[in-house]
């Protein structure tokens, strides 16, 4: 019988990362694929990116609004659990696939584990900073199967007591898209989004939920620095975590300055990759600066604590959320020459994922997890 699998997506970012997996699984005759679309995808303020999911042509898409603009993360988690719980009881899937460190992923892992449904977690075992680590590791502990980006992530999950036989290093799925021949040209991207710049940097700054009271000051330092730099920036809205309103409010200062800034609520993932590939550099605190940008040899300025524990890379200048440090980083990055680095796989994650799920033994994985205790062992 065909295995019924639910993929959960809550943001433009996680959809970009799991899309290659969805595409290959949707074409495989052994599986029936369902896509539960929620989170930022359903908010018009952030570009209503559910349309990007729908445009892929998947047969079974279910859209669920799990929040309003004033909801906090705990409330969003509760609503997502309630909606997804009703959904899985209706369609009775064999597996739920979640990605990363968002509260929607946590909801998927909770619903699956409490309903005896196998949970597969994509890109667990990573470390970054702030509350993202807490959510990511919690999702891993609630998941039965782990598809990680590299050996270091695998070892971290083993440290967390996960069974090494259930951890599969397949690389990061978004790397599959980085070098796709189907990416649009830079000319197409500029025309679609009305970007007039010959040279530009990409600015993407997300809230740090544990520093929410300081967000207004932090983003003001960033905006002041880029305005004074006189350079061109393509600016993309942050995610909708607590503190995002302060960032968007500060961006209102630059939205009218179309001579040097173009500000967008969201951007198609393929178009973002093309734009990133040709950018002078990236600035902010997005994981893209440390994951995707190094593959293209694009340098980046990483500001603040959001990515504190990510790997140190020669292509990344780290600085505090202080204007003088950001000023110095913008000056320094102009003279930074870097080579491409491949540290999250080779671009074949989707086929490795497919081959693993075609193995009948994977589906015999027990719903009853056991902690593998390495304490006291050599």
């Amino acid at each position: 019988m065909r295995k019924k699998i639910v993929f959960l997506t809550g943001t433009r970012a996680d959809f970009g990362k799991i899309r290659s997996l969805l595409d290959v699984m949707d074409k495989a005759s052994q599986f029936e694929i369902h896509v539960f679309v929620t989170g930022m995808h359903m908010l018009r303020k952030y570009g209503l990116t559910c349309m990007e999911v729908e445009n892929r042509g998947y047969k079974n898409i279910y859209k669920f609004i799990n929040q309003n603009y004033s909801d906090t993360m705990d409330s969003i988690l509760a609503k997502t659990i309630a909606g997804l719980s009703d959904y899985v009881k209706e369609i009775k899937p064999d597996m739920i696939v979640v990605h990363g460190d968002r509260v929607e992923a946590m909801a998927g892992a909770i619903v699956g584990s409490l309903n005896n449904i196998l949970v597969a977690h994509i890109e667990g075992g990573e470390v970054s900073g702030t509350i993202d680590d807490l959510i990511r590791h919690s999702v891993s502990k609630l998941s039965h199967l782990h598809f990680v980006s590299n050996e270091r992530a695998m070892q971290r999950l083993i440290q967390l007591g996960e069974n090494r036989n259930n951890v599969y290093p397949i690389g990061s799925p978004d790397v599959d898209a980085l070098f796709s021949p189907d990416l649009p040209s830079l000319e197409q991207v500029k025309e679609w989004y009305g970007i007039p710049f010959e040279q530009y940097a990409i600015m993407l700054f997300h809230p740090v939920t544990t520093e929410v009271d300081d967000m207004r000051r932090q983003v003001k330092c960033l905006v002041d620095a880029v305005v004074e730099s006189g350079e061109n920036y393509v600016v993309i809205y942050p995610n909708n975590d607590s503190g995002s309103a302060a960032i968007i409010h500060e961006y209102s200062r630059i939205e009218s300055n179309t001579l040097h800034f173009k500000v967008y609520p969201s951007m198609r993932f393929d178009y973002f990759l093309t734009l990133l590939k040709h950018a002078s550099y990236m600035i902010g605190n997005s994981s893209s600066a440390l994951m995707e940008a190094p593959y293209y040899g694009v340098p980046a300025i990483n500001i603040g604590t959001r990515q504190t524990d990510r790997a140190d890379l020669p292509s990344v200048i780290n600085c505090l959320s202080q204007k003088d440090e950001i000023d110095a980083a913008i000056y320094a990055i102009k003279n930074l020459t870097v080579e491409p680095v491949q540290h999250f796989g080779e671009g074949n994650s989707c086929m490795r994922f497919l081959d693993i799920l075609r193995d009948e033994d994977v589906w015999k994985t027990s719903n009853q997890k056991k902690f593998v205790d390495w304490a006291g062992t050599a």
Side-chain angles (χ1 to χ4, degrees):
M1 293 182 62
R2 299 171 75 197
K3 295 294 184 183
K4 189 179 294 186
I5 305 175
V6 172
F7 283 78
L8 189 151
T9 176
T11 73
R12 64 199 181 201
D14 71 44
F15 180 66
K17 289 177 177 290
I18 67 171
R19 195 187 67 185
S20 63
L21 305 180
L22 266 168
D23 288 350
V24 73
M25 295 292 289
D26 196 44
K27 296 173 184 175
S29 60
Q30 303 97 318
F31 306 105
E32 178 181 318
I33 302 304
H34 295 251
V35 189
F36 188 88
V37 183
T38 187
M40 287 178 64
H41 284 304
M42 304 301 297
L43 300 178
R44 193 172 300 278
K45 179 179 181 179
Y46 293 94
L48 208 62
T49 54
C50 60
M51 294 185 291
E52 185 174 343
V53 183
E54 292 175 307
N55 288 340
R56 301 299 295 181
Y58 305 123
K59 302 178 186 68
N60 304 299
I61 295 177
Y62 182 83
K63 296 185 294 184
F64 177 73
I65 298 175
N66 69 343
Q67 61 190 276
N68 59 56
Y69 297 120
S70 62
D71 278 346
T72 54
M73 294 171 71
D74 52 350
S75 177
I76 295 170
L77 174 63
K79 290 181 181 180
T80 312
I81 290 172
L84 183 62
S85 178
D86 289 340
Y87 179 71
V88 300
K89 288 179 175 65
E90 178 67 24
I91 71 166
K92 296 179 172 57
D94 300 289
M95 177 182 286
I96 298 173
V97 178
V98 298
H99 173 275
D101 52 28
R102 304 289 297 169
V103 293
E104 288 84 5
M106 181 178 280
I110 290 172
V111 169
S113 59
L114 296 184
N115 286 280
N116 293 318
I117 301 168
L118 286 178
V119 178
H121 186 202
I122 309 297
E123 289 195 319
E126 301 289 337
V127 290
S128 52
T130 68
I131 200 169
D132 293 353
D133 277 349
L134 301 180
I135 296 175
R136 188 186 305 108
H137 300 329
S138 297
V139 173
S140 290
K141 293 308 300 179
L142 289 162
S143 301
H144 308 92
L145 298 165
H146 310 276
F147 296 89
V148 299
S149 60
N150 53 34
E151 292 290 335
R152 290 184 66 188
M154 178 177 181
Q155 291 304 317
R156 292 189 189 107
L157 288 179
I158 292 170
Q159 282 183 264
L160 287 172
E162 295 302 296
N163 186 335
R164 66 171 66 236
N165 294 323
N166 296 333
V167 185
Y168 302 92
I170 65 170
S172 178
D174 65 336
V175 176
D176 294 18
L178 288 177
F179 302 103
S180 169
D182 298 326
L183 290 180
S185 68
L186 182 60
E187 291 72 23
Q188 288 175 298
V189 175
K190 286 184 174 181
E191 181 178 359
W192 182 263
Y193 285 102
I195 298 171
F197 312 135
E198 187 67 29
Q199 291 187 319
Y200 59 89
I202 295 176
M203 190 165 95
L204 188 49
F205 190 79
H206 296 298
V208 180
T209 56
T210 52
E211 301 170 4
V212 64
D213 293 337
D214 194 40
M215 277 298 96
R216 179 67 61 85
R217 182 200 65 80
Q218 291 186 22
V219 71
K220 183 179 186 303
C221 289
L222 172 58
V223 170
D224 287 348
V226 295
V227 168
E228 289 182 18
S229 75
E231 298 184 27
N232 302 322
Y233 292 90
V234 175
V235 183
I236 302 173
Y237 269 19
N239 63 34
N240 63 330
D241 287 346
S242 299
S244 61
I247 297 174
I248 294 172
H249 174 79
E250 207 54 37
Y251 284 175
S252 65
R253 294 169 46 202
I254 57 176
E255 283 187 294
S256 60
N257 182 1
T258 56
L259 184 63
H260 290 292
F261 296 92
K262 294 289 288 185
V263 183
Y264 302 95
S266 186
M267 185 170 288
R268 294 180 180 180
F269 186 64
D270 285 352
Y271 285 58
F272 171 77
L273 290 181
T274 295
L275 205 66
L276 175 61
K277 183 177 182 179
H278 296 277
S280 301
Y281 62 90
M282 204 173 170
I283 185 169
N285 62 6
S286 169
S287 61
S288 292
L290 296 99
M291 297 184 72
E292 290 94 347
Y295 276 82
Y296 288 141
V298 174
I301 298 170
N302 175 52
I303 301 171
T305 62
R306 188 170 184 264
Q307 306 294 342
T308 297
D309 296 323
R310 293 280 188 189
D312 288 330
L313 295 167
S315 61
V316 179
I317 297 175
N318 295 297
C319 69
L320 298 176
S321 296
Q322 304 286 350
K323 183 176 177 298
D324 58 342
E325 291 217 8
I326 300 171
D327 288 339
I330 292 174
Y331 179 80
I333 205 164
K334 298 172 185 176
N335 299 314
L336 187 64
T337 302
V338 298
E339 296 294 330
V341 176
Q342 296 186 352
H343 56 316
F344 289 104
E346 301 173 352
N348 59 351
S349 300
C350 60
M351 295 310 301
R352 296 178 71 178
F353 183 77
L354 175 62
D355 289 341
I356 291 165
L357 290 191
R358 278 175 168 165
D359 185 345
E360 292 183 4
D361 288 340
V362 168
W363 296 96
K364 297 175 184 176
T365 302
S366 175
N367 288 312
Q368 180 61 58
K369 289 188 63 175
K370 294 183 179 180
F371 187 93
V372 180
D373 194 348
W374 292 95
T377 61

